[in-house]
Amino acid sequence: MGYESWLERDRLMLLDFDPLVTGMSSQPFRLSWAGVGGKRVRHTPDLFVRRADGTGLVVDVRPDERIGPDDAMKFAVTAAACRSVGWDFVRVGTPEVVLMANVRWLAGYRHPRVHRPEVAARLVEVFADGGGLLAGALRVGDQIAVLPVLFHLLWRRVLAADLEAGLFSADSQVRLGMVREGGGDAVASAAAASG
């Protein structure tokens, strides 16, 4: 998926981490309208997001300190255009540093090749009542084999931790997440792009 800045990349990663997001595309369309004095104004939003409930979300990514009057006008026109077709619109800036660092770390374990069903099942048992990340991993087995599965389960939200409390450490508290293995009746809570 394409992105034009590290900030867009970070926002894409947060959206990828959101279990309520089912699809994304970058620079999905271009708006064009007559501005002041008839001058042609164009704007291409950064992202289109499809949610699990079928709704659409258009996202523009720009740090607060880089929004001038022309940008604000473009975002307002984009929001109105989105409303007219039943989509939501949000302009997002820089995500919280600790959250982003933790999500970046977990993204390295997102691929299914990391999943080991027997280790995953044991981790779910161990963290049923919560506990420290490393202590729980060691209860399951060799940390070199167990930690990648633990981080994969955190990415998939089978397990959960407070991603804003601090950078992952041996003492990070891990508990069961909202998304369960097998998932047909899974309940998901979103770490929304704008969160």
Side-chain angles (χ1 to χ4, degrees):
M1 174 128 197
Y3 52 86
E4 297 178 313
S5 69
W6 296 125
L7 182 54
E8 276 187 38
R9 181 214 51 195
D10 287 351
R11 287 299 177 172
L12 281 166
M13 203 173 294
L14 287 170
L15 287 164
D16 192 29
F17 185 56
D18 185 338
L20 298 181
V21 169
T22 60
M24 300 177 281
S25 67
S26 64
Q27 300 184 340
F29 56 86
R30 173 178 279 179
L31 295 171
S32 179
W33 64 95
V36 177
K39 181 181 175 195
R40 180 66 41 207
V41 180
R42 292 179 181 87
H43 177 64
T44 303
D46 295 313
L47 306 168
F48 179 82
V49 176
R50 178 65 66 197
R51 297 179 185 129
D53 65 2
T55 60
L57 171 68
V58 174
V59 181
D60 264 313
V61 181
R62 183 82 51 95
D64 295 343
E65 65 276 5
R66 293 198 51 223
I67 298 174
D70 288 346
D71 297 318
M73 181 266 306
K74 289 177 181 179
F75 297 150
V77 169
T78 303
C82 289
R83 274 192 306 278
S84 75
V85 296
W87 296 337
D88 294 326
F89 172 80
V90 65
R91 197 278 312 160
V92 294
T94 306
E96 198 274 324
V97 174
V98 171
L99 169 68
M100 200 60 242
N102 285 329
V103 170
R104 263 191 229 110
W105 177 260
L106 293 179
Y109 298 93
R110 67 187 294 280
H111 197 279
R113 71 176 163 260
V114 178
H115 187 71
R116 302 285 179 267
E118 63 287 345
V119 175
R122 185 72 180 112
L123 283 165
V124 168
E125 289 173 19
V126 165
F127 287 110
D129 296 321
L133 185 145
L134 187 57
L138 290 172
R139 285 179 56 197
V140 173
D142 178 9
Q143 66 185 2
I144 298 298
V146 172
L147 285 173
V149 180
L150 191 155
F151 292 135
H152 179 70
L153 294 178
L154 284 165
W155 174 264
R156 294 191 48 225
R157 296 180 183 248
V158 172
L159 297 177
D162 184 347
L163 301 180
E164 297 180 64
L167 296 176
F168 280 125
S169 71
D171 297 325
S172 293
Q173 293 298 298
V174 177
R175 63 190 182 286
L176 291 181
M178 298 291 286
V179 176
R180 300 284 185 262
E181 294 282 60
D185 60 348
V187 176
S189 64
S194 60

